[in-house]
Amino acid sequence: MKIDILTLFPESFSYLNSSILKRAQENNIIEINLIDIRNFSKDKHKKCDDYPFGGGAGMLMSVQPIYDALKSVQKENSKIIFPSPSGEKFNANIAKNLSTYDHLIFICGHYEGIDQRVIDIFNPQEISIGDYVLTGGELASMVIIDSLSRFVTGVISKESLEEESFSSGKLEYPQYTRPAQFMGLKVPDVLLSGNHEEIAKWREKKSIEKTKNIRPDLFNN
Ligand code: 6GU
């Protein structure tokens, strides 16, 4: 999978070069490209924003630099995503769907938003990562990319994908590693028993308890 990220702040994406996504890139499973929108501005000062017509707070990202940046990477099969607080709410199903594309392009908005004509011309999928507002689309893009990458074959093991929260519709059970005792706190005996059937039962029970307490809505969906 190839992912192009259009942004005014390419330096904010170093997270994608660590840990699992670093390995995925080294193994040529995922290729991530950062495109600095500013390089496409035809303004003599490389300006990429301007005042909103009709007035209002803040600045908007202008259409021309984004248009040219997008055109420089768009192919016939590209899926364009615009992370935005006004998008549909992100979840694991959307992540799974995005993981099936060969080419994704993310447009990172900043300031008070972007010129509507970017949306009218390219018809991107608008995705919000939750009901709160971020200062820009960079963090949201990273959240979406991190999450969809886990569904790309070869990025993590099949077992990890199946065991974790939301694949089962429930929250994950508590986990422990060595030591078996720390500051008087003992790992539950069943996990040390070697009885896989009992361990599976305990995990299922804990998973249900936790979901009931914290996310009862998951049972109603
Ligand atoms: Cl995708 N972008 C911004 N700027 N704020 C958000 C968001 C996205 N999702 C929730 N809040």
Side-chain angles (χ1 to χ4, degrees):
M1 167 185 279
K2 186 175 176 206
I3 303 176
D4 285 309
I5 305 170
L6 277 53
T7 174
L8 286 173
F9 301 95
E11 68 280 5
S12 43
F13 286 89
S14 60
Y15 175 78
L16 298 180
N17 294 325
S18 48
S19 187
I20 292 175
L21 292 181
K22 177 182 182 184
R23 197 181 59 205
Q25 291 180 82
E26 286 169 352
N27 294 341
N28 298 317
I29 300 170
I30 295 179
E31 179 191 340
I32 300 176
N33 255 322
L34 297 169
I35 293 125
D36 190 339
I37 295 170
R38 198 168 301 281
N39 292 338
F40 290 84
S41 173
K42 289 179 174 154
D43 177 80
K44 60 174 181 287
H45 304 295
K46 299 275 175 207
K47 200 168 131 74
C48 291
D49 62 343
D50 215 326
Y51 297 98
F53 279 119
M59 304 287 271
L60 292 182
M61 283 172 72
S62 315
V63 57
Q64 177 274 315
I66 301 177
Y67 178 88
D68 285 327
L70 247 167
K71 281 293 182 187
S72 79
V73 292
Q74 188 181 25
K75 292 179 291 187
E76 223 161 78
N77 64 349
S78 305
K79 168 78 169 170
I80 306 175
I81 298 140
F82 175 47
S84 144
S86 353
E88 64 182 303
K89 183 137 18 125
F90 189 56
N91 62 30
N93 283 333
I94 298 176
K96 206 177 279 186
N97 171 260
L98 293 178
S99 75
T100 64
Y101 290 85
D102 289 328
H103 186 211
L104 300 177
I105 304 173
F106 284 80
I107 310 169
C108 299
H110 233 271
Y111 314 119
E112 295 304 313
I114 69 176
D115 191 303
Q116 176 64 28
R117 287 166 291 190
V118 173
I119 294 160
D120 296 343
I121 294 167
F122 293 101
N123 192 29
Q125 183 170 356
E126 283 188 73
I127 300 175
S128 164
I129 61 164
D131 292 339
Y132 44 82
V133 178
L134 303 169
T135 56
E138 282 77 12
L139 281 170
S141 291
M142 281 190 271
V143 167
I144 297 167
I145 289 166
D146 187 285
S147 167
L148 74 87
S149 295
R150 299 177 66 258
F151 292 108
V152 175
T153 306
V155 172
I156 60 171
S157 75
K158 194 166 161 280
E159 291 75 23
S160 305
L161 202 54
E162 283 166 359
E163 274 176 15
E164 282 167 32
S165 295
F166 293 109
S167 54
S168 65
K170 295 194 297 295
L171 304 185
E172 200 175 24
Y173 46 78
Q175 304 223 72
Y176 303 85
T177 185
R178 289 188 291 183
Q181 190 161 336
F182 181 73
M183 290 175 61
L185 294 173
K186 277 194 80 226
V187 172
D189 286 332
V190 59
L191 298 180
L192 310 176
S193 70
N195 184 333
H196 295 289
E197 201 176 312
E198 285 304 313
I199 292 170
K201 265 199 248 169
W202 182 86
R203 285 177 167 168
E204 174 78 4
K205 183 174 134 240
K206 287 292 174 184
S207 180
I208 291 170
E209 274 173 20
K210 185 163 188 192
T211 310
K212 266 188 192 152
N213 281 334
I214 298 176
R215 291 294 306 276
D217 57 295
L218 291 179
F219 286 120
N220 306 330
N221 294 340

